[in-house]
Amino acid sequence: MSSPAPPPVLLPVRARRTRRGPLLRELVGSVLREERAAQGRTLAGVAAASGVSLPHLSQVERGGKEPSSEVVAAICAALGLPLAELLRRAAGEPLDVTSSVGTSPVRTGARPAAPAGTVSLSLAA
């Protein structure tokens, strides 16, 4: 006769790793949502203009989905938001503009210290 099977051993559930700051998809989504709201546009309107489904656009704005570069480009085009501007705003880098006749806005060489809990992206000018 065989002995009864031993009781199952319960293993501890691994704790989620804590993040140091927001993910890129969260930063991008936040900028897209802020821009859409600033323009007074609806999710449905931007979804239709970009060709991105409304549920997917909502998930992207909330940082729940990692959008492809094509999806980001389509949303940016629908909002009239250049990709470089999206990334600059996601990185939290201010654009210093000097008002001089005949010159275009220039980025200063000095980089401000990033606030705690932010992700720093380097954007080539």
Side-chain angles (χ1 to χ4, degrees):
M1 298 237 135
S2 64
S3 61
V9 177
L10 298 175
L11 299 176
V13 176
R14 284 190 177 170
R16 272 190 154 159
R17 282 196 239 177
T18 58
R19 299 189 288 201
R20 292 186 180 187
L23 297 172
L24 180 60
R25 71 173 184 248
E26 294 167 340
L27 295 170
V28 166
S30 177
V31 171
L32 292 173
R33 175 178 279 177
E34 288 170 7
E35 181 63 28
R36 180 183 57 76
Q39 293 182 15
R41 297 177 64 185
T42 64
L43 269 172
V46 174
S50 65
V52 175
S53 74
L54 191 145
H56 189 66
L57 177 58
S58 177
Q59 284 284 326
V60 168
E61 283 191 357
R62 287 185 283 135
K65 292 283 184 184
E66 189 79 51
S68 68
S69 59
E70 290 85 1
V71 167
V72 172
I75 298 168
C76 283
L79 292 171
L81 179 67
L83 181 60
E85 175 66 8
L86 169 73
L87 295 175
R88 185 193 65 75
R89 286 169 54 186
E93 292 185 9
L95 183 64
D96 292 335
V97 179
T98 57
S99 86
S100 301
V101 177
T103 61
S104 59
V106 293
R107 209 178 281 279
T108 63
R111 287 191 173 269
T118 61
V119 175
S120 178
L121 298 174
S122 176
L123 303 174

